[in-house]
Amino acid sequence: MSTQTDTSSDAVVAGSFEGDLRRYLRGLGGLLVFLLVWWVGATTTQPSYLVPGPVDSARAFVDLFATSTSIVVPVLGSSPVLPTGLAHLAETLFHYVPGLLLGAGCGISLGLAMGWNGALDDWLRPLVRVLRPIPPLAWVVFAIVWFGIGHTGAAFIVFVGAFWINFYGAYGGVEGVSSDLTDAASTLGVERDLSMLKLVALPSAAPQVLTGFRTSIGRCWMIVVGAELFGAPGVGYEIINASNNLAMATSVAYMFLISLAFLCMDVGFRLLERRVLAWR
Amino acid sequence: MSKLPSTNKESSEKISVQNVSKSYESMQALEDVSFSVPEGEFCCVVGPSGCGKTTLLRAIAGLDDLDSGSVLVDDDPVTGPGLDRGMVFQEYALFPWRTVRGNIRFGLDRPACDCADCEGRVRELVDLVGLDDFEDAYPKELSGGMKQRVGIARALAPDPEILLMDEPFASVDARTRDRLHAELLDIWAQTEQTVVFVTHDIDEAVTLADRVVVMGTDPGTVQSTFSIDLERPRERTDHDFVDYVAKIRDELGSPTDTR
């Protein structure tokens, strides 16, 4: 009897393992086909800079870490020398991280406040309707006029992008708090509005708040590159800088560097999210 | 007994509902409802859906404003929810981000509640509702019956004098329900609380109650009350039990809908 059970559970494990393997092989196959098409496309296109091939791009990517560059750290003012790729990635992060965190902080705060307080919602809803559809990059002109071309201006644009995504995450999350839960909390002695927000609304909205933040991580990478095309230092600027010198393979290398940086942040945040939301 | 007989009839009552009316948009949920519950009584309110029995319970809990009338607890008008009245919800309403322990602990952490040994109190309640080994589980990991045990323990934690229960066992299977009935009566015998238990199940009402309040629908009113004069535990096949059920069913006027 017990052997029978063991065999069947082995079969289940083997089945899922085979399924995983098949999935990985298919994914690998897709990548290989893409590389092949890319390679064929690159070798048959003239002039060669129009489509840099995979081999050239890979070589350019390695070069990003074989050479080194000095950068200026804002606020601290020090100028460390780093591998070129990391140096420009760090430059991007100098405005990406503050923009993202400040934007998320402000967006979440306003979203919670408006979702929770009906009067505030009435006051600000029309304003939100007007400001929300403006693409963050449209603020570039004001970023330049107010802050100049540099980290602060780019951070401002990232801030705008992060703000709205996080605003809607928090707003929707708080609006969706079940009245059963707030009723239960009332009968258990929660009297003040602020306690209800802290003890019931916020934890109940946490999944949507975190999803909003995770979405903004990706969206802000798109925005930050756009912001740098106007001159703020970082990987986005390097993409256009390299292409101005017709070093298209280097542009591709920076594109992959962005993809890699986003992937790391996304995976890291997903792990954190799974941990915080273990109750779901 | 040595006290002078009170001139105010209401003063012997724990809960007194006086001429309460409440309507939602086009529906008259309660119209001029009056009844009272003496201290320590297990009172069941039965009626068809839409008769306003949940509205009545929420009025006692202080969760809704009334159109007119008042609810008195110990002769004091109810103006809002309070730790003296614990509530158990039909769909459990457990905080999904808190463990069993965290849910039970919720009311004990309020400033209005002072417990000398909160951790000890939580353990006592976990034990009382038989959830040892599940203290650290999240609600999603529990069956319906277990969830409602947590709901009951959470409501009992601040040691309320009144326990309000809104169809608490409507979503659990019949066998679990029977067991929960027995457990609830055990708990009630220990805590000597005043219980108001809303249900649409006549069998359930007769199994549990000292007194059954029958409500009619549209508008919601109290039709009649029955004192259930049977020893506990009660047998559903018992002749007198069947008699009570039949009488209440006649009163409700719907012989087919018994759940």
Side-chain angles (χ1 to χ4, degrees):
Chain A
M1 187 64 208
S2 74
T3 30
Q4 235 172 357
T5 321
D6 284 346
T7 339
S8 69
S9 75
D10 271 358
V12 170
V13 170
S16 82
F17 175 72
E18 270 170 23
D20 279 354
L21 193 66
R22 193 181 307 131
R23 230 153 20 90
Y24 289 133
L25 286 176
R26 280 174 179 167
L28 197 65
L31 278 175
L32 287 175
V33 169
F34 169 75
L35 281 173
L36 188 70
V37 171
W38 182 12
W39 182 76
V40 170
T43 47
T44 54
T45 312
Q46 287 301 327
S48 64
Y49 66 79
L50 282 184
V51 182
V55 179
D56 286 346
S57 302
R59 199 171 290 145
F61 191 84
V62 172
D63 275 352
L64 291 185
F65 299 91
T67 58
S68 49
T69 304
S70 157
I71 53 163
V72 177
V73 182
V75 184
L76 295 178
S78 59
S79 45
V81 176
L82 292 172
T84 308
L86 283 185
H88 294 307
L89 191 62
E91 282 179 326
T92 293
L93 292 176
F94 290 151
H95 46 258
Y96 173 90
V97 172
L100 175 71
L101 294 184
L102 265 174
C106 294
I108 290 170
S109 306
L110 186 70
L112 291 178
M114 271 178 74
W116 193 240
N117 186 315
L120 193 69
D121 192 27
D122 292 344
W123 273 93
L124 296 181
R125 198 192 305 213
L127 183 66
V128 166
R129 286 259 168 88
V130 173
L131 293 181
R132 163 74 184 115
I134 301 171
L137 282 172
W139 291 95
V140 157
V141 284
F142 286 102
I144 292 171
V145 175
W146 292 342
F147 305 107
I149 296 169
H151 287 304
T152 320
F156 170 71
I157 292 163
V158 173
F159 172 93
V160 174
F163 182 87
W164 290 114
I165 300 170
N166 283 285
F167 169 82
Y168 275 104
Y171 185 77
V174 169
E175 267 202 330
V177 173
S178 111
S179 61
D180 261 12
L181 293 185
T182 52
D183 282 348
S186 304
T187 63
L188 289 165
V190 174
E191 285 165 5
R192 290 181 315 127
D193 223 25
L194 209 61
S195 320
M196 190 65 89
L197 185 65
K198 188 178 125 213
L199 289 165
V200 180
L202 198 55
S204 164
Q208 271 156 290
V209 171
L210 293 179
T211 303
F213 187 76
R214 186 157 47 73
T215 313
S216 71
I217 289 177
R219 192 72 61 83
C220 286
W221 271 107
M222 298 176 198
I223 292 167
V224 82
V225 170
E228 288 173 6
L229 295 182
F230 295 91
V235 279
Y237 177 79
E238 294 308 317
I239 290 175
I240 216 165
N241 190 31
S243 84
N244 285 342
N245 300 323
L246 290 187
M248 303 307 282
T250 307
S251 296
V252 173
Y254 278 114
M255 286 158 72
F256 280 117
L257 186 60
I258 291 170
S259 156
L260 209 63
F262 165 70
L263 212 63
C264 290
M265 289 176 91
D266 190 58
V267 168
F269 192 74
R270 271 174 204 274
L271 289 176
L272 181 81
E273 212 178 353
R274 199 176 307 164
R275 184 147 215 189
V276 175
L277 301 179
W279 52 270
R280 277 225 293 186
Chain B
M1 275 290 114
S2 60
K3 275 187 191 168
L4 286 168
S6 171
T7 47
N8 183 356
K9 184 177 165 289
E10 305 304 327
S11 64
S12 64
E13 309 292 359
K14 186 74 185 169
I15 305 169
S16 172
V17 175
Q18 297 179 337
N19 313 101
V20 163
S21 296
K22 169 87 186 168
S23 58
Y24 294 109
E25 283 154 32
S26 60
M27 199 183 79
Q28 185 75 25
L30 296 174
E31 188 171 87
D32 199 25
V33 169
S34 298
F35 78 103
S36 48
V37 187
E39 176 143 21
E41 184 182 75
F42 199 124
C43 173
C44 279
V45 178
V46 294
S49 39
C51 72
K53 48 194 196 299
T54 293
T55 309
L56 180 65
L57 202 69
R58 291 176 61 87
I60 300 172
L63 287 170
D64 291 330
D65 292 332
L66 302 172
D67 294 345
S68 64
S70 57
V71 175
L72 305 182
V73 169
D74 291 328
D75 295 333
D76 291 325
V78 166
T79 54
L83 287 173
D84 58 329
R85 284 151 290 143
M87 183 140 172
V88 179
F89 295 82
Q90 182 176 354
E91 296 300 333
Y92 323 121
L94 300 181
F95 304 116
W97 56 88
R98 284 175 168 249
T99 59
V100 167
R101 189 200 313 269
N103 267 281
I104 297 174
R105 178 82 193 232
F106 191 90
L108 296 174
D109 285 337
R110 304 285 68 75
C113 175
D114 50 345
C115 49
D117 175 18
C118 290
E119 268 309 304
R121 175 79 180 139
V122 170
R123 248 175 286 130
E124 191 183 303
L125 285 158
V126 165
D127 194 49
L128 182 71
V129 296
L131 282 174
D132 316 71
D133 304 334
F134 289 96
E135 291 108 314
D136 296 317
Y138 287 106
K140 69 163 182 187
E141 301 165 73
L142 306 178
S143 68
M146 289 159 89
K147 281 183 186 152
Q148 202 53 293
R149 288 193 176 96
V150 179
I152 293 170
R154 183 180 68 174
L156 290 173
D159 202 16
E161 290 162 13
I162 294 169
L163 191 59
L164 305 169
M165 308 184 83
D166 184 14
E167 305 202 35
F169 306 139
S171 314
V172 300
D173 65 86
R175 273 182 52 183
T176 310
R177 191 159 56 236
D178 284 347
R179 202 160 62 234
L180 287 167
H181 284 158
E183 288 174 17
L184 177 62
L185 288 172
D186 268 357
I187 291 170
W188 173 64
Q190 286 174 47
T191 57
E192 300 176 329
Q193 276 150 333
T194 309
V195 180
V196 182
F197 186 110
V198 162
T199 177
H200 61 262
D201 181 342
I202 302 168
D203 277 5
E204 181 169 54
V206 177
T207 304
L208 296 171
D210 289 324
R211 201 161 53 102
V212 177
V213 174
V214 179
M215 288 186 71
T217 183
D218 201 23
T221 49
V222 172
Q223 275 183 2
S224 51
T225 59
F226 294 84
S227 287
I228 310 297
D229 205 6
L230 293 173
E231 288 286 310
R232 292 187 181 91
R234 296 167 181 166
E235 276 303 322
R236 263 168 219 196
T237 46
D238 189 89
H239 179 261
D240 291 335
F241 188 103
V242 174
D243 239 25
Y244 276 117
V245 171
K247 265 193 274 183
I248 295 171
R249 186 168 300 154
D250 278 352
E251 184 66 33
L252 279 167
S254 57
T256 47
D257 183 356
T258 60
R259 141 166 308 261

